[in-house]
Amino acid sequence: MADSEEERPVPGAARVLARLAVLCSAPAVGWGVLTFGAANGVGFLVLVCVLLIAVPLFLRDAGTFRTLCLTIGWLVFGLSLWGAILGMFTLTPAALVLVAAGGRARPGRRSDRSRLVPLAIGVLVTVATCCLTGWFLLDEWGDRASAPQPDAFTATVREDSPLLRTDPEPPALRYDGSGLGHGATVVVLDEPSGRPGRVLTVYYRFATPAETEALRGLIAALPGVRDVRPCHWNLDC
């Protein structure tokens, strides 16, 4: 029986489940590697687990396929619980689907209804994973799309900058922004408490991307100005 199982080819449904397990590991790769980086301990461990999940795809005999699916699946499942606080729970669906693939590869008659249980579990977990991933991506995209766009630049002006001369007032510091152009509408120079230098804030409206970039370059080129960054009116300027 052992020899016949070793020579038995991997059932098509079991191989499909193994492919679905790899598909379910994609969110874990996106989260672990992009968040921590492949060189980080967590990111590297996630990457190793995903590579292990893909190993059964290269096997042809059902016995070895089933053994590796169950071994790797339960191993990754345990690691996903152990590292849940670090976000490794994203590997849980892939581990469960791989275990289901191992269960589907066990010997038995095709008419055996109990063999349908692993297939049903694997498909349901895959569908749930894809739906949750899609919902997360749409929600993240919606948050980014609805976030207010920068409408100002802020920068630090050194104390020895010629811009701080009050007589005559430098054209770049005209309140209405006419000295800068490129869509600038308001120029404010504040003196922050507890920090050296001044804070220059330039608001702009109805500026094209090219004008915005030109305005940023113009501000950065002003004498004594450094650390130019975009900001939002009344939020973080």
Side-chain angles (χ1 to χ4, degrees), residues 169-188 200-204 215 218-219:
E169 181 185 39
L173 296 185
R174 291 174 184 166
Y175 181 78
D176 61 359
S178 60
L180 292 173
H182 300 291
T185 57
V186 177
V187 177
V188 178
L200 175 66
T201 306
V202 179
Y203 302 98
Y204 58 87
L215 179 61
L218 185 60
I219 297 172

Side-chain angles (χ1 to χ4, degrees), residues 42-186:
V42 177
F44 179 76
L45 185 58
V46 169
L47 191 59
V48 169
C49 289
V50 172
L51 292 177
L52 287 176
I53 290 172
V55 168
L57 290 177
F58 302 96
L59 303 177
R60 294 184 177 181
D61 59 279
T64 307
F65 176 88
R66 180 170 182 264
T67 301
L68 278 184
C69 281
L70 294 176
T71 303
I72 295 174
W74 287 120
L75 174 64
V76 174
F77 180 77
L79 288 174
S80 69
L81 296 182
W82 172 77
I85 193 172
L86 299 175
M88 290 186 64
F89 61 86
T90 51
L91 287 168
T92 302
L96 293 177
V97 175
L98 194 63
V99 171
R104 188 64 177 81
R106 68 182 177 84
R109 296 181 179 179
R110 293 187 177 182
S111 59
D112 189 356
R113 292 186 177 181
S114 63
R115 300 181 66 201
L116 296 177
V117 175
L119 180 61
I121 293 176
V123 172
L124 288 176
V125 171
T126 302
V127 171
T129 301
C130 292
C131 290
L132 288 174
T133 302
W135 172 81
F136 174 80
L137 292 177
L138 287 175
D139 185 67
E140 184 71 14
W141 178 83
D143 290 343
R144 291 179 181 270
S146 61
Q149 297 299 313
D151 56 3
F153 288 110
T154 183
T156 302
V157 183
R158 296 198 307 264
E159 290 287 358
D160 58 350
S161 172
L163 293 176
L164 301 183
R165 298 174 183 171
T166 57
D167 188 21
E169 181 185 39
L173 296 185
R174 291 174 184 166
Y175 181 78
D176 61 359
S178 60
L180 292 173
H182 300 291
T185 57
V186 177

